[in-house]
Amino acid sequence: IAGTVEANATAGRGGNIDISGQQGVAMESTGRVSPTGINGGTIALNSSAGAVQVSGQISANAVEGRGGSVAIAAATQPSVAAGARISASGAKGGGSASVDAVENIKLESDSKLEAAGAVGGAIALAAEHGSVEIKGTLDATGDSLAGGTIKIAARSDITLGDTSVLDVSGRRGGETWIEARKGTTLASGLIDAYGHKGPGGEVLLLGPPVRLVRNGTINASGY
């Protein structure tokens, strides 16, 4: 995908876009995929035997209502390159963004997954038999209500790099749940569940060993 795929609506909900490639799906930096509308539509990118690589812009945003949904699934490794943006945000509330893999998941620095809005949406990453490495930003913030949820699960290691930001802040803080079932949960970036006008949220870091290193920061404070 190097061009534009649209299923936009001027009134009502955006449409549905489903892109599948058995051996792999590659979205170039010039690629744009968009089912926007009053409420966001749905986007699915999947490969039953290969990788899914995203370097462009994916938007299931809502103009006035709630964000839509973005689902990425790969048999091997899904990756989000530097500068890539995946968004399911909306004025009234964030939608959902998910990345699932049999093997590993990787988000490069300056990449972003977003499901923000008046109330935060949901972001989920799951590596069934592999690891998750995040150097970019996951944004499920709530502008005027509660922050949303971020859930990351892996069989092996979960690494939240120095440049990583996991943000579920809002009027009330949201929830972040991170679990490496048989590996190490290593955090050296920022996890923010701050409550701007109410209680802070909840942050769970789980794993056989859990390590907060270097400039790693967890903020679940409240107002």
Side-chain angles (χ1 to χ4, degrees):
I1 306 165
T4 299
V5 181
E6 292 182 341
N8 297 330
T10 56
R13 179 181 171 276
N16 304 318
I17 296 175
D18 191 337
I19 299 172
S20 302
Q22 183 178 4
Q23 299 303 318
V25 174
M27 183 178 182
E28 303 294 339
S29 60
T30 55
R32 300 290 184 271
V33 178
S34 173
T36 61
I38 301 301
N39 291 300
T42 65
I43 301 170
L45 276 72
N46 62 82
S47 176
S48 60
V52 175
Q53 301 169 333
V54 177
S55 300
Q57 311 292 312
I58 296 175
S59 173
N61 291 337
V63 177
E64 297 179 10
R66 297 187 68 94
S69 67
V70 179
I72 296 172
T76 55
Q77 176 172 297
S79 61
V80 183
R85 297 290 183 269
I86 298 172
S87 182
S89 296
K92 291 185 177 178
S96 64
S98 65
V99 181
D100 293 288
V102 175
E103 297 182 10
N104 305 321
I105 297 173
K106 188 171 185 179
L107 274 67
E108 298 287 358
S109 58
D110 192 37
S111 64
K112 188 172 187 178
L113 269 66
E114 184 177 24
V119 59
I123 297 175
L125 283 69
E128 184 179 356
H129 295 295
S131 63
V132 175
E133 181 181 3
I134 298 174
K135 298 179 182 179
T137 296
L138 306 183
D139 181 352
T141 53
D143 294 338
S144 55
L145 296 170
T149 62
I150 293 175
K151 183 176 181 179
I152 302 171
R155 179 179 178 86
S156 186
D157 298 334
I158 295 176
T159 303
L160 308 177
D162 293 356
T163 57
S164 66
V165 177
L166 278 60
D167 194 347
V168 292
S169 61
R171 188 179 183 90
R172 301 188 308 275
E175 299 180 0
T176 300
W177 185 88
I178 300 165
E179 182 177 16
R181 295 190 298 275
K182 295 184 178 297
T184 298
T185 295
L186 180 69
S188 60
L190 171 64
I191 303 174
D192 192 353
Y194 179 62
H196 299 294
K197 295 293 183 180
E202 183 176 25
V203 177
L204 295 176
L205 297 179
L206 308 171
V210 175
R211 295 175 181 154
L212 187 66
V213 299
R214 293 189 292 278
N215 293 320
T217 302
I218 298 173
N219 181 11
S221 303
Y223 179 76

